Amino acid sequence: MNNTFELGPIRPPSEAFSVLIRVTRNCPWNRCRFCHTYKGEKFSRRSVEEIISDIDAIHNIAGRILSTARSYGDDMLITEKILQEAARGDSASPFYYNQIAFWLQHGMKSVFLQDADSLILKTDQVIQILTHIKQKFPSVERITTYARAKTISKKSAEEMQQLRDAGLSRLHLGMESGSDAVLERIQKGVTQQELIDAGQKAVQAGFDLSFYYMPGIGGKEHMEENAIESAKVVRAVNPTFIRIRSTVPLPDTPLYQMMEAGEWTPLTEEEKLAEIRLFIEHCQDITSQLLSDHMMNLLEDIEGKFPEDRDVMLGKIDSFFAMPREDREKFIIGRRIGIFRYLSHFHDNPQVNSLYATIKSRYTTIDEAVLEILKNYI
Ligand code: SF4
């Protein structure tokens, strides 16, 4: 017996407790200028048979672990000994058993379909996969995937409803920017109108929709437009979640080359924050939850629900800007080396002070040093 299943490289942070089921490999578009995740990797669709075989392998492993745990009198605490016993006679690596044990310990409630654009499969194929997941794992309450707006825009409202009814419940959609000029510059392959149409279609079908917004992706050239036009898309869609992903130009991306050629100018940490402030100011008449759930964002504190938390979120940004320059710069350094996560964590820290002094003596600006730190961070 060999219970193995294929895994893709990434999932959203909010899917940390989900089991991952790979339905396609890599990204069918793969041209966004800021993205390095699948560069050089060829896109392919997996067959429904392959995917079902993976789901069955996950089911087999889960069954073996649970029955072994029960034989030890406890199906809640899965120890190393239980895992070894469960895997006896299976040539699959312990890695697979560890993956599923982790999922079991978190209640087997959520599933994430990989990779970048699962809805590129035919609707009836996705439905077959969803049906099999629900049949094998009745405990699953949420099935999520990444989806490109362009792909959703090609699905009919009926197809979206069928997918929702079959159990797909949450979509993560990379808006990045709502500005047509920026979308074109970053080669997102989608227009503002397509983003709005896709978002509205998903919301109308009853999906929990996560929209990703990238402060700074327009560079200094399109900073205001990036905020205002992104807020315009968000207002038209009213997604369940808005997730902030601050832009960092990574060395192996075309965006980095644009920066080196002087065609795109990165925002400083403070400018990105100012852009977020402008975005939030323009997010009116929505009920979305804003999340800063990524280490690339300067302030993870900026979280809350519109409209009631809007002023609180703006207030947090204002508190940062009200700090003396040296404290702001020390917070930025401390944040980038993992000492501070929230603004409330800020304190006089010898490690930060020492690095701050070194950076000041070697770099013209703090942001030059931050770019170096971030390059090596991701
Ligand atoms: S669609 Fe997503 S995964 Fe594909 S290149 Fe763009 S950002 Fe990267």
Side-chain angles (χ1 to χ4, degrees), residues 19-254:
V19 75
L20 308 177
I21 296 175
R22 194 176 205 189
V23 304
T24 64
R25 300 184 184 96
N26 311 311
C27 173
W29 175 246
N30 215 1
R31 289 184 224 170
C32 299
R33 291 197 155 129
F34 59 88
C35 175
H36 70 147
T37 311
Y38 302 105
K39 286 280 175 283
E41 301 295 334
K42 195 165 173 287
F43 171 76
S44 64
R45 293 166 166 83
R46 299 189 70 216
S47 71
V48 172
E49 292 70 33
E50 274 180 289
I51 300 159
I52 283 183
S53 158
D54 280 7
I55 297 166
D56 289 344
I58 293 168
H59 185 256
N60 285 344
I61 293 175
R64 288 168 74 124
I65 296 173
L66 282 174
S67 67
T68 311
R70 281 187 198 119
S71 73
Y72 279 79
D74 189 352
D75 59 359
M76 293 309 291
L77 185 66
I78 299 163
T79 60
E80 194 54 42
K81 190 173 168 197
I82 288 172
L83 279 185
Q84 281 170 6
E85 179 79 21
R88 184 163 298 154
D90 190 344
S91 56
S93 132
F95 167 83
Y96 297 99
Y97 278 78
N98 285 328
Q99 292 282 313
I100 301 309
F102 185 76
W103 187 49
L104 291 178
Q105 300 244 256
H106 288 90
M108 301 167 77
K109 293 203 170 86
S110 54
V111 172
F112 184 75
L113 306 182
Q114 297 174 304
D115 283 335
D117 189 18
S118 307
L119 296 192
I120 201 150
L121 292 181
K122 290 191 178 122
T123 300
D124 63 326
Q125 293 178 318
V126 184
I127 290 174
Q128 275 184 66
I129 296 160
L130 294 167
T131 307
H132 200 68
I133 294 170
K134 297 288 265 187
Q135 196 188 350
K136 290 286 177 184
F137 302 107
S139 60
V140 166
E141 294 168 0
R142 188 182 83 203
I143 307 178
T144 306
T145 191
Y146 284 127
R148 285 193 73 223
K150 192 84 173 185
T151 306
I152 294 178
S153 71
K154 288 181 187 153
K155 299 259 183 219
S156 68
E158 292 71 34
E159 285 178 292
M160 291 300 285
Q161 194 61 59
Q162 286 164 6
L163 289 164
R164 178 68 195 90
D165 294 344
L168 188 62
S169 47
R170 183 176 285 190
L171 298 176
H172 286 257
L173 191 153
M175 169 184 71
E176 334 303 8
S177 172
S179 150
D180 275 326
V182 176
L183 290 166
E184 199 178 320
R185 282 193 98 198
I186 61 172
Q187 224 167 288
K188 188 69 201 167
V190 71
T191 63
Q192 180 188 76
Q193 194 53 52
E194 284 169 332
L195 284 169
I196 293 174
D197 291 347
Q200 288 179 340
K201 216 183 265 182
V203 169
Q204 275 157 17
F207 284 96
D208 274 351
L209 179 65
S210 281
F211 248 40
Y212 287 79
Y213 159 54
M214 294 184 71
I217 193 65
K220 284 198 207 294
E221 297 78 8
H222 293 275
M223 174 180 157
E224 275 195 24
E225 186 180 336
N226 195 44
I228 293 169
E229 294 298 301
S230 298
K232 187 172 161 188
V233 173
V234 161
R235 281 204 309 275
V237 171
N238 193 21
T240 324
F241 304 103
I242 303 162
R243 296 180 190 271
I244 296 180
R245 294 290 182 272
S246 298
T247 307
V248 177
L250 298 172
D252 55 349
T253 60

Side-chain angles (χ1 to χ4, degrees), residues 302-330:
I302 313 171
E303 295 208 332
K305 182 144 176 28
F306 288 98
E308 57 266 37
D309 298 330
R310 185 168 167 272
D311 289 345
V312 178
M313 292 188 275
L314 291 174
K316 281 181 182 159
I317 298 174
D318 293 342
S319 328
F320 175 80
F321 283 119
M323 289 161 65
R325 166 165 287 283
E326 185 171 321
D327 284 356
R328 295 202 307 270
E329 291 182 341
K330 285 184 177 172

